[in-house]
Amino acid sequence: MTRRLALVAPLLILAGCHMRSAEPKVTDAWVRLPAVPGQPAAAYFTIQGGRSAKTLVRLESALANRIEMHQNMRGMFGLDPQVKPGTAVPIRFGFSDGTTTEAEAKTVPAGGDAPY
């Protein structure tokens, strides 16, 4: 019996490593600044995890007047003119169940390479 427990314990530990976190996690967030000042910037990110299905319904940033969501891109309108390449842009992600999470997006210049 002890031998069986010794064989099962490492499997249980490994199984615990692959459990999903309770809340979604945002990674690889970045913003491509507009080529023309006053035009929208584009934000990209990856959302993973969560134990239940949630829908992203809102994006907010203190450095943008408005953020519009599209299937493949999020447009940030009225981005603060002080935001330059290398500036961290905070973004709050709101989900259909009322939960939120935050991430800082790296900024790259228009025409610059994506950081991820």
Side-chain angles (χ1 to χ4, degrees):
M1 181 68 154
T2 305
R3 188 169 194 199
R4 282 189 200 158
L5 183 59
L7 293 173
V8 172
L11 295 176
L12 292 174
I13 291 169
L14 286 175
C17 293
H18 295 289
M19 292 180 69
R20 289 183 158 210
S21 63
E23 300 303 324
K25 181 178 177 183
V26 177
T27 59
D28 302 336
W30 63 284
V31 172
R32 184 180 306 280
L33 298 174
V36 178
Q39 294 298 311
Y44 303 89
F45 50 85
T46 301
I47 299 176
Q48 297 176 327
R51 291 191 184 139
S52 61
K54 297 179 184 185
T55 302
L56 179 64
V57 296
R58 185 177 69 254
L59 294 168
E60 302 170 334
S61 177
L63 298 179
N65 292 336
R66 182 176 91 228
I67 300 177
E68 292 183 0
M69 294 189 299
H70 301 274
Q71 185 172 357
N72 294 322
M73 181 179 75
R74 284 80 186 145
M76 301 181 78
F77 293 84
L79 197 61
D80 187 316
Q82 300 297 320
V83 175
K84 305 290 183 210
T87 303
V89 175
I91 302 175
R92 178 180 298 220
F93 300 80
F95 297 93
S96 56
D97 66 351
T99 60
T100 62
T101 189
E102 295 184 9
E104 285 195 348
K106 294 180 180 182
T107 54
V108 298
D113 291 333
Y116 303 105

